[in-house]
Amino acid sequence: MGAECHHTESAQPGLEGAALASAVAAAQAQCERTRERLTPPRRRVLELLLESDGPMKAYDLIAAYGADGEPAKPPTVYRALEFLERLGFAHRIESLNAYVPCRMEGAGHRAAFLICECCGAAQEFEPDFSAQFAAAKTAGYAVRTVTLEARGLCPACR
Amino acid sequence: MGAECHHTESAQPGLEGAALASAVAAAQAQCERTRERLTPPRRRVLELLLESDGPMKAYDLIAAYGADGEPAKPPTVYRALEFLERLGFAHRIESLNAYVPCRMEGAGHRAAFLICECCGAAQEFEPDFSAQFAAAKTAGYAVRTVTLEARGLCPACR
DNA sequence: CTCGTTATGTTATTTCATAACGCTGCGGTT
DNA sequence: AACCGCAGCGTTATGAAATAACATAACGAG
């Protein structure tokens, strides 16, 4: 993060200690409710995302995976990411080839991001597509998922 | 294209003959107006995009580049794509890692796509962000560009 | 014509992502 | 308990997407 600017404060500081444990526990609890399994690799990748100050690339996760510095094998991380995305615990940011933990309450929501081109922070927000696809729907389109990524400058970097 | 369905009619048939020549000439004319140069590799990549029935991957363009079957070198195509995107003649679809020629009138517009998960067609449309970023702007964000990609099923594939 | 700039050609490398295969361990059934 | 089906994992290898770096060539203004 912060490759292009030098602001000391991170827009999205990573979690640590109790906050991290609590976020992981919440994911664990949700998994149990839906009979899904938060296995060690999945939990580890989720932790890494939650600890991070900003979007992480897949190979950042691969490199950081082992507590002892041992990297993971790519499929380990990609499989975990697939699971975390499926359950709504993480999102992929297409325009960055990077991943973030979900910062919104509840699952199943639609994700959208404001990405700062200076500090690299990605702010998640809840998009409103109420009007956006009206024309598409009357034309017969069945919209299933939507990717919305806005790029610009965050308040701190302006 | 059409990897997952068998509809004979393409939603977005590629251009050929006079229509192709005319589209290329229009791009040529616009370049001359703005003192930009539609050089041979740029023109070639634009032709390939316009001829295609749907989004093309960069390496599809690389493979198809030479009239004699000789592929291009990757930087040749990536540079041409960068130029075409800058001038608004082509768009990158992030969620597909693919490229399409611009189908909308005029340049400088914001592009958005309806992508059919069955036939692979990508329908460009003009998004309306009038309300979408109001909150972001009052929070101090300066939005520069927006990527909007909706995935689902097109009328023909439903 | 000469110089600065823009564009291209070429080689190599880096980054991102998945295929394929076999093994393991859990949960349900009898 | 023994069996079985399947989700998940480890591992090797490879495929796909994009760019770095540097040399050469074409253009356009002065």
Side-chain angles (χ1 to χ4, degrees):
Chain A
M1 307 313 84
E4 297 163 36
C5 75
H6 39 271
H7 304 133
T8 51
E9 290 301 308
S10 170
Q12 292 263 221
L15 304 184
E16 27 182 307
L20 174 61
S22 155
V24 172
Q28 176 76 264
Q30 184 182 322
C31 283
E32 281 165 9
R33 250 176 278 128
T34 56
R35 300 285 197 282
E36 298 280 355
R37 295 160 59 194
L38 190 63
T39 59
R42 293 169 176 179
R43 167 190 291 261
R44 178 63 181 142
V45 170
L46 177 58
E47 280 174 5
L48 288 169
L49 290 174
L50 289 167
E51 286 168 355
S52 170
D53 288 345
M56 288 188 80
K57 303 274 206 169
Y59 276 68
D60 294 341
L61 291 163
I62 287 167
Y65 184 88
D68 53 357
E70 273 301 291
K73 306 287 172 62
T76 301
V77 164
Y78 280 104
R79 286 165 179 161
L81 288 169
E82 183 185 3
F83 170 86
L84 296 172
E85 283 195 78
R86 180 162 60 78
L87 269 62
F89 295 146
H91 301 293
R92 172 179 167 83
I93 301 183
E94 296 288 350
S95 60
L96 297 178
N97 288 355
Y99 302 83
V100 290
C102 178
R103 306 278 188 190
M104 306 286 286
E105 302 295 315
H109 68 276
R110 285 174 294 198
F113 295 92
L114 292 163
I115 301 159
C116 179
E117 291 174 323
C118 171
C119 68
Q123 170 74 48
E124 184 173 354
F125 71 101
E126 178 85 37
D128 171 19
F129 296 131
S130 51
Q132 192 69 257
F133 299 110
K137 280 169 188 158
T138 60
Y141 255 92
V143 174
R144 203 178 55 77
T145 64
V146 178
T147 298
L148 175 59
E149 297 172 11
R151 310 174 63 90
L153 293 177
C154 73
C157 289
R158 285 223 300 171
Chain B
M1 308 310 81
E4 298 164 36
C5 76
H6 38 270
H7 304 133
T8 51
E9 290 301 308
S10 170
Q12 293 262 217
L15 303 183
E16 27 181 307
L20 174 60
S22 155
V24 173
Q28 176 76 264
Q30 184 182 321
C31 284
E32 281 163 9
R33 251 176 275 126
T34 57
R35 301 284 197 281
E36 297 280 356
R37 295 161 58 196
L38 190 64
T39 58
R42 293 168 177 178
R43 167 189 292 261
R44 179 62 181 142
V45 171
L46 177 58
E47 280 174 6
L48 288 169
L49 289 174
L50 289 166
E51 286 168 354
S52 170
D53 288 345
M56 287 188 81
K57 303 274 206 170
Y59 276 69
D60 293 342
L61 291 164
I62 286 167
Y65 183 88
D68 53 358
E70 273 301 291
K73 305 289 173 61
T76 301
V77 164
Y78 280 105
R79 286 163 178 164
L81 288 169
E82 183 185 2
F83 170 85
L84 295 172
E85 282 195 78
R86 181 163 57 80
L87 280 276
F89 295 146
H91 302 293
R92 172 179 167 81
I93 301 183
E94 296 287 350
S95 60
L96 297 177
N97 288 355
Y99 302 84
V100 289
C102 178
R103 306 279 188 189
M104 306 285 286
E105 301 295 316
H109 67 275
R110 288 174 295 197
F113 295 91
L114 291 163
I115 301 159
C116 180
E117 291 175 323
C118 169
C119 69
Q123 170 73 49
E124 185 174 353
F125 72 100
E126 178 85 37
D128 172 17
F129 295 132
S130 52
Q132 191 71 257
F133 298 112
K137 279 169 189 158
T138 61
Y141 255 92
V143 174
R144 203 178 53 78
T145 64
V146 178
T147 299
L148 176 59
E149 297 171 11
R151 310 174 64 88
L153 293 177
C154 73
C157 289
R158 284 222 299 171

